Amino acid sequence: DGSELVDIDNYINANYKKPNDELFGIAKNKNVILISLESTQSFVINETVNGQEITPFLNDFIKESYYFDNFYHQTAQGKTSDSEFIVENSLYPLSRGAVFFTHSGNEYTATPDILGNNGYYTAALHANNKSFWNRDIMYQSLGYDRFYSLPDYEVTAENSVGWGLKDIDFFEQSVQHLKEMPQPFYAKFITLTNHFPFELDEEDRFIEPYTSNNKTVNNYFPTVRYQDEALKLFIERLKAEGLYDDSIIVLYGDHYGISENHNKAMGEFLGEEVTPYVSTQLQRVPFIIHIPGQKGETISTVSGQMDVKPTILHLLGINTKNNIDFGSDLFSEDKLEFTVLRDGSFITKNNIYTRETCYDKGTGEPTDNSACEPYIEKAKNELEYSDKIIYGDLLRFYEDEEFRNSKTFGNEIKFDSN
Ligand code: GP9
Ligand code: MN
């Protein structure tokens, strides 16, 4: 039965944060263009290599958008697929394996599903084999109407590099698909060129590589720069097609690009040793929301991929009060600054807890455990609750009448002074 879900639901309810009055529904019925930025970490934003900007387009774009500079990826072995899972379900991925493979048959209440019920057409676009990461199966469980995959693109030797179709060509060809979609649409784009080992053709190299003795780290910068160019051209196309003003554009980094194997060269680039503290801070990925007519601002609230689902839904004016979301609306005035990574590390306003050590964010040095102590149990609980949902396929009880009734009962016996 759904009794296990009732406990979890009580926890979720207690953590629910009400939406920001001014922004709730600000983008009602607008299209949503969601873009997954392959291997893009926050440290490249507003940064240079050999004196040249790494992300000139994004550096400008964030000035007219909401930019979250303390936003963490929460992925594990499922990499890109984990990021998709987290972003659209507000659940944690699994600590081993990829939930896209292991639990694709579960019931979910994912963003595409919800938006489909709210009059949206939903599509995922990615120029790779449809079965990669089991996407063709999982996307059905997430509620997608359509998956534009490899056969929907013209892929040749000339327009490919590394893992496949180059980002510029991917976006260019995707505009055609976008134009054919009924509106409002929710369209998710998954980029590819900035993928390990960061291969690039000479003609696509807008900046020179970094110069350390680590090829991976060196080559990362030109592919990030290439992706930035692809984004610039895509936005220009959206403007030309008249789609820009009718859409909110949401970008997020999927996971790290530079693993801990490259700490030495990364330390060289950053000018500081990559300690466990620095390494955790390197798990920040860009999160950007552009809303037509809104000036935007940089927001430094501690946040993670988990928070994307309720944030988007609230902007579209869709209530999330009854959802089983572990994240919360990033615009909510009482958002708790607390983000848990899949390895059990967590980040609060003033501290980072990783490898059983509590760090002070002011100094980056280990500090007394007492500052982290109150959150240790909470972090563990969240991961366990989320795992229970996935292993027990508990969201299948979500629509269940018995669960609904017990839930209503639970709510009614609470005293609410409002
Ligand atoms: C593959 C692409 C890359 O389709 O999403 O996957 P990754 O290796 O980053 O998980
Ligand atoms: Mn990826």
Side-chain angles (χ1 to χ4, degrees):
D1 64 1
S3 60
E4 266 188 302
L5 188 57
V6 176
D7 285 349
I8 298 169
D9 192 53
N10 283 338
Y11 172 82
I12 298 283
N13 274 342
N15 286 293
Y16 171 80
K17 302 293 180 221
K18 74 170 173 47
N20 179 304
D21 288 336
E22 274 163 46
L23 291 173
F24 184 84
I26 193 105
K28 198 170 168 58
N29 289 325
K30 290 233 182 284
N31 302 313
V32 180
I33 294 174
L34 181 66
I35 306 176
S36 161
L37 305 175
E38 178 58 43
S39 302
T40 307
Q41 295 173 236
S42 298
F43 78 87
V44 297
I45 303 290
N46 288 326
E47 183 56 271
T48 59
V49 66
N50 312 313
Q52 292 185 289
E53 273 184 292
I54 304 160
T55 58
F57 169 71
L58 285 179
N59 296 347
D60 281 342
F61 193 63
I62 60 178
K63 288 184 203 143
E64 47 187 77
S65 306
Y66 292 98
Y67 171 53
F68 297 85
D69 62 358
N70 263 316
F71 179 91
Y72 295 78
H73 84 82
Q74 295 167 297
T75 65
Q77 291 170 345
K79 307 300 298 276
T80 310
S81 73
D82 275 357
S83 73
E84 295 179 64
F85 182 78
I86 306 163
V87 161
E88 296 186 320
N89 292 292
S90 197
L91 294 170
Y92 290 88
L94 297 176
S95 59
R96 322 193 101 229
V99 59
F100 261 45
F101 273 115
T102 60
H103 293 82
S104 58
N106 277 14
E107 283 286 334
Y108 294 103
T109 315
T111 307
D113 205 1
I114 294 171
L115 292 184
N117 292 334
N118 281 273
Y120 275 76
Y121 179 78
T122 61
L125 302 93
H126 181 49
N128 196 358
N129 214 297
K130 66 177 179 172
S131 60
F132 199 95
W133 282 129
N134 205 29
R135 283 184 176 108
D136 54 340
I137 307 296
M138 187 60 162
Y139 283 174
Q140 292 178 33
S141 299
L142 299 180
Y144 276 103
D145 292 321
R146 174 81 154 90
F147 178 20
Y148 292 87
S149 67
L150 198 55
D152 297 292
Y153 291 88
E154 206 177 300
V155 183
T156 64
E158 286 70 43
N159 67 17
S160 301
V161 71
W163 276 57
L165 186 62
K166 298 180 189 182
D167 287 346
I168 289 179
D169 300 82
F170 164 62
F171 281 125
E172 179 61 36
Q173 293 185 32
S174 295
V175 170
Q176 238 8 76
H177 299 316
L178 262 191
K179 284 168 67 179
E180 283 161 13
M181 291 180 200
Q183 296 192 33
F185 55 70
Y186 168 88
K188 172 167 75 176
F189 295 79
I190 302 171
T191 62
L192 198 53
T193 307
N194 188 41
H195 193 290
F196 180 85
F198 314 117
E199 284 174 58
L200 206 59
D201 292 330
E202 202 54 48
E203 78 224 40
D204 298 319
R205 199 186 251 189
F206 300 103
I207 57 172
E208 290 306 306
Y210 181 55
T211 46
S212 71
N213 60 19
N214 183 315
K215 241 182 95 176
T216 299
V217 173
N218 295 352
N219 290 341
Y220 180 66
F221 298 98
T223 54
V224 173
R225 175 64 184 80
Y226 171 83
Q227 177 188 256
D228 187 77
E229 192 70 16
L231 291 168
K232 182 182 100 181
L233 297 174
F234 182 47
I235 301 291
E236 280 172 7
R237 287 287 277 125
L238 292 176
K239 286 179 180 169
E241 296 296 341
L243 287 166
Y244 189 71
D245 290 326
D246 292 329
S247 309
I248 62 166
I249 299 167
V250 183
L251 302 98
Y252 68 92
D254 64 349
H255 49 74
Y256 65 75
I258 307 293
S259 76
E260 294 205 310
N261 299 332
H262 309 287
N263 276 356
K264 201 170 154 279
M266 268 307 287
E268 217 176 283
F269 178 81
L270 297 171
E272 63 177 336
E273 190 198 336
V274 182
T275 62
Y277 170 81
V278 172
S279 187
T280 306
Q281 288 299 57
L282 282 171
Q283 304 314 306
R284 283 178 291 189
V285 294
F287 182 52
I288 301 163
I289 304 177
H290 182 271
I291 308 173
Q294 292 287 306
K295 216 172 132 279
E297 61 180 305
T298 295
I299 298 175
S300 298
T301 312
V302 173
S303 53
Q305 288 169 334
M306 202 71 67
D307 301 315
V308 174
K309 179 190 177 191
T311 302
I312 292 180
L313 290 178
H314 283 173
L315 290 173
L316 301 182
I318 298 168
N319 208 330
T320 68
K321 180 102 180 72
N322 292 321
N323 292 0
I324 312 280
D325 293 338
F326 283 90
S328 49
D329 181 350
L330 294 180
F331 296 111
S332 168
E333 268 153 31
D334 35 34
K335 158 88 176 75
L336 180 68
E337 302 214 38
F338 175 64
T339 294
V340 183
L341 309 187
R342 182 61 253 198
D343 69 356
S345 302
F346 61 79
I347 303 96
T348 66
K349 192 170 168 51
N350 300 317
N351 297 90
I352 281 183
Y353 185 78
T354 187
R355 302 196 201 170
E356 274 147 48
T357 306
C358 187
Y359 290 86
D360 182 309
K361 279 164 104 178
T363 63
E365 297 295 325
T367 182
D368 190 76
N369 239 6
S370 62
C372 293
E373 198 61 52
Y375 295 95
I376 293 175
E377 196 65 23
K378 186 174 164 66
K380 250 185 76 192
N381 271 338
E382 283 218 8
L383 292 167
E384 278 173 20
Y385 280 150
S386 180
D387 284 351
K388 270 192 184 167
I389 290 177
I390 296 169
Y391 289 127
D393 189 10
L394 296 184
L395 293 181
R396 77 197 134 110
F397 300 115
Y398 180 78
E399 300 289 354
D400 195 89
E401 207 177 329
E402 204 181 324
F403 170 68
R404 283 271 154 236
N405 289 341
S406 63
K407 191 173 139 65
T408 312
F409 179 68
N411 285 342
E412 271 172 9
I413 56 169
K414 257 192 271 168
F415 287 97
D416 198 335
S417 51
N418 300 324

